Amino acid sequence: MRQIRQMLRLAGDGISAREIGRMLGVARSTIQDNLKRAQEAGLAWPVPAELTDAAIEERLFARSGYKQGVRRRAEPAWDELVCELKRPGVNLQVLWEEYRDQHPDGYGYSRFCELFREFEARLSPVMRQDHRAGDKVFVDYSGKRIGIVDRASGEVRQAEIFVGVLGASSFTYAEASWTQTLPDWIGAHVRMFRAFGGVPRLIVPDNLKSGVNKPSFYDPEINLSYGRMASHYGVGVLPARPFRPRDKAKVESGVRFAQTYILGRLRRQTFFSLAEANQAIAGMVDRINDYVMRRIGVSRRHLFETIERPALAALPASDYEFAEWGLARVALDYHVEVCGFFYSVPHELIRQQVDTRATERGIEIFHHGKRIAVHQRRYGGRKHGTDIEHMPSAHRRYAEWTPERFRRWGASIGPHTEGLITAILASRPHPEQGFRTCLGILRLFKDLEPARAEAVADRAVAIGAFTYKSLASIVANKLDRSTAAAGEPQAVITHGNLRGSGYFH
């Protein structure tokens, strides 16, 4: 437009089209064409001051036949079609057929699709993705955290922010939790599904260790506890590929939006508890979901209520109770270790591998998918939880593992070792619970001279050290030397006695 104004000024001064073209570096034919357009449009120098560049351009170059910016055929409401396309089973062919039913002289299918893609290209990157209602929820933790102050000490502890975004409606859920560990990760999912009032078909998490043990494009290894939670709700887990942010662009955008709304607007508030922070976050999330998206003219909540919620699967009858799953092998004393304590199983399963499930209140043990034992979870007191029904009257294949045999092994080293073995077995509610400790001690004594083994045993009995860890500490720190220096008589044997016992090879 600057050159057009210059052209009109030079033409007004009587300069020829050839000379104007040379001065402006434009072909003479172009100058002649533009001067003709100006004459037809009634433009001459000086140009009225109220005429803007846009107005001059429209008068000179507007196509004849129809007004610029107006389609020659009837068009649908493209923003409404964006919403309709998210419904299950709806595609552009269906929408075009409905459009032609209302406008028989409307656009053909190819032009209809072209115009729809042009409209879609003007939307935000989040909305351009094709997500079906009820199909996916994208979950992740925000990279930024929120501070919570301890009233007593004034210490500021940082809490993580969990964000979940439904694919079709972009309906958002967010909450603060202390950590990204498995209990908080799964608990956030449970509360998110409760807030949605239903569950989608798939969860798309990032490759957080609490969700994915081993990332892989072809066969990712899902955390067992996370997988059990997904099975409870009947949803699949489809982790995003490592280092592929576009796989989870929905939640990446949701995280940025949540940071702006949550962290940005709450930055001047001070919170003294996780509950206070979550109450404030819930208010900000409501603002996010009620915000009218400029391009399509509706809110996330409207899309959720009208399109997404009806497509979600129903919630199960009860919320998922967090449980930590693990693998264990049944020991010779027919107990398995779970979270630092020992729980019995039927003795027939000695040496078998079992699945363990630890909840806040109980311990369950499974073999080949069948529950074989249930115990109340222990947090203190005795280390062993033994069900009398699991105890054998005889050990059958393992009948040789008896208290008497361990005593004989101890006696083969010396009287102090025999006394230590007897004391260990007597300190347990059931002698079988001491078998594991006795085996460890005999392994430890295998590499010691008999005289020193006796000194260690004497020292252990004197101070009441009846655990393998205590005995190993006495040996490592040479705490038995004072006893040995006292000149007490020691039994003298060779290591051949131990090898002949039938246990050490």
Side-chain angles (χ1 to χ4, degrees):
M1 287 302 103
R2 182 181 58 81
Q3 282 191 330
I4 292 292
R5 289 178 182 271
Q6 187 79 341
M7 178 198 71
L8 293 174
R9 183 181 65 79
L10 294 172
D13 292 340
I15 300 175
S16 67
R18 183 186 299 275
E19 188 65 17
I20 294 173
R22 188 185 64 78
M23 295 173 65
L24 298 180
V26 180
R28 184 186 66 173
S29 58
T30 302
I31 297 297
Q32 289 174 333
D33 180 62
N34 287 342
L35 289 173
K36 183 180 178 182
R37 288 174 178 269
Q39 184 179 2
E40 292 174 350
L43 286 176
W45 191 261
V47 177
E50 65 272 11
L51 276 182
T52 64
D53 286 352
I56 294 174
E57 183 179 9
E58 183 176 350
R59 289 178 64 173
L60 291 178
F61 303 107
R63 293 174 60 185
S64 60
Y66 64 94
K67 187 178 179 181
Q68 188 179 31
V70 177
R71 303 288 186 190
R72 286 178 291 179
R73 299 179 187 273
E75 291 190 39
W78 298 113
D79 54 346
E80 294 180 6
L81 296 192
V82 171
C83 300
E84 289 298 314
L85 194 61
K86 297 177 182 298
R87 296 185 185 276
V90 177
N91 56 29
L92 285 176
Q93 179 71 33
V94 172
L95 297 177
W96 175 75
E97 290 174 358
E98 293 175 351
Y99 160 73
R100 286 301 293 265
D101 288 342
Q102 296 179 3
H103 306 284
D105 58 344
Y107 294 109
Y109 179 67
S110 59
R111 180 59 176 160
F112 176 87
C113 293
E114 181 183 351
L115 292 174
F116 179 81
R117 296 306 179 195
E118 287 180 5
F119 176 82
E120 212 176 20
R122 297 196 296 270
L123 303 182
S124 66
V126 171
M127 292 303 299
R128 282 205 304 269
Q129 299 183 43
D130 184 19
H131 297 297
R132 298 294 179 182
D135 189 44
K136 295 185 182 77
V137 60
F138 298 81
V139 294
D140 200 2
Y141 278 102
S142 167
K144 300 183 183 295
R145 296 179 290 177
I146 188 169
I148 298 177
V149 180
D150 186 295
R151 287 185 184 275
S153 66
E155 179 186 359
V156 179
R157 183 178 178 185
Q158 299 296 322
E160 306 286 346
I161 298 180
F162 171 89
V163 180
V165 181
L166 285 168
S169 63
S170 293
F171 191 77
T172 302
Y173 174 83
E175 70 166 47
S177 59
W178 287 122
T179 69
Q180 296 186 18
T181 56
L182 199 59
D184 285 336
W185 171 250
I186 291 181
H189 282 70
V190 171
R191 291 182 287 274
M192 176 183 70
F193 291 143
R194 191 189 309 145
F196 290 163
V199 291
R201 188 175 65 90
L202 290 171
I203 305 172
V204 183
D206 200 355
N207 288 280
L208 184 75
K209 275 294 183 184
S210 294
V212 182
N213 289 339
K214 184 178 180 182
S216 169
F217 173 71
Y218 299 103
D219 190 19
E221 182 182 324
I222 306 301
N223 179 283
L224 184 58
S225 298
Y226 189 49
R228 295 281 184 171
M229 182 277 296
S231 298
H232 177 82
Y233 286 100
V235 300
V237 179
L238 183 66
R241 293 173 296 171
F243 312 111
R244 295 294 188 274
R246 289 186 179 181
D247 286 3
K248 50 185 177 62
K250 176 70 69 170
V251 74
E252 294 287 347
S253 178
V255 164
R256 290 194 299 270
F257 199 45
Q259 285 175 354
T260 301
Y261 255 83
I262 296 172
L263 295 177
R265 286 169 169 77
L266 299 181
R267 68 187 186 280
R268 293 190 176 91
Q269 294 189 35
T270 302
F271 303 105
F272 296 98
S273 70
L274 200 63
E276 280 184 26
N278 276 322
Q279 185 176 3
I281 289 172
M284 293 299 103
V285 170
D286 286 340
R287 288 185 62 178
I288 292 173
N289 291 325
D290 292 331
Y291 175 82
V292 176
M293 294 178 280
R294 184 177 66 246
R295 295 293 186 179
I296 61 176
V298 294
S299 68
R300 290 167 172 80
R301 190 178 303 279
H302 174 80
L303 288 176
F304 173 72
E305 296 292 348
T306 57
I307 294 174
E308 193 102 53
R309 189 196 290 274
L312 295 176
L315 289 169
S318 60
D319 287 344
Y320 177 77
E321 181 184 13
F322 171 74
E324 190 168 357
W325 287 81
L327 294 174
R329 190 169 294 279
V330 182
L332 294 175
D333 59 359
Y334 49 88
H335 285 69
V336 295
E337 183 177 3
V338 183
C339 301
F341 289 81
F342 300 91
Y343 302 91
S344 67
V345 300
H347 67 274
E348 297 90 346
L349 297 176
I350 289 175
R351 299 289 193 193
Q352 296 295 308
Q353 183 172 280
V354 294
D355 295 313
T356 63
R357 179 177 183 266
T359 65
E360 185 178 357
R361 297 186 297 273
I363 300 292
E364 295 176 280
I365 304 168
F366 298 82
H367 183 247
H368 292 167
K370 180 182 178 181
R371 190 170 69 178
I372 55 172
V374 181
H375 296 271
Q376 184 176 355
R377 183 166 182 175
R378 291 170 174 261
Y379 292 95
R382 294 185 181 274
K383 284 283 187 179
H384 289 75
T386 305
D387 188 336
I388 300 298
E389 304 249 340
H390 296 158
M391 300 181 64
S393 55
H395 279 261
R396 299 174 189 168
R397 286 180 57 200
Y398 298 92
E400 67 271 17
W401 303 101
T402 62
E404 185 55 37
R405 183 168 185 178
F406 283 108
R407 292 191 187 96
R408 288 200 303 271
W409 279 341
S412 69
I413 298 174
H416 293 298
T417 304
E418 181 183 10
L420 174 62
I421 295 297
T422 301
I424 290 172
L425 296 175
S427 68
R428 305 295 197 269
H430 306 288
E432 291 84 353
Q433 295 173 353
F435 288 177
R436 197 186 308 224
T437 303
C438 293
L439 285 173
I441 291 171
L442 292 172
R443 284 182 187 274
L444 184 66
F445 282 7
K446 177 183 177 182
D447 298 325
L448 300 179
E449 291 296 328
R452 189 175 179 211
E454 278 288 272
V456 170
D458 185 29
R459 175 69 172 172
V461 171
I463 64 175
F466 298 145
T467 66
Y468 173 81
K469 187 175 180 180
S470 300
L471 267 292
S473 177
I474 292 173
V475 172
N477 294 291
K478 300 180 180 180
L479 301 178
D480 57 293
R481 295 305 187 190
S482 58
T483 302
E488 297 180 7
Q490 306 289 339
V492 178
I493 63 171
T494 66
H495 286 291
N497 296 119
L498 292 176
R499 288 193 294 270
S501 69
Y503 179 76
F504 297 102
H505 301 287

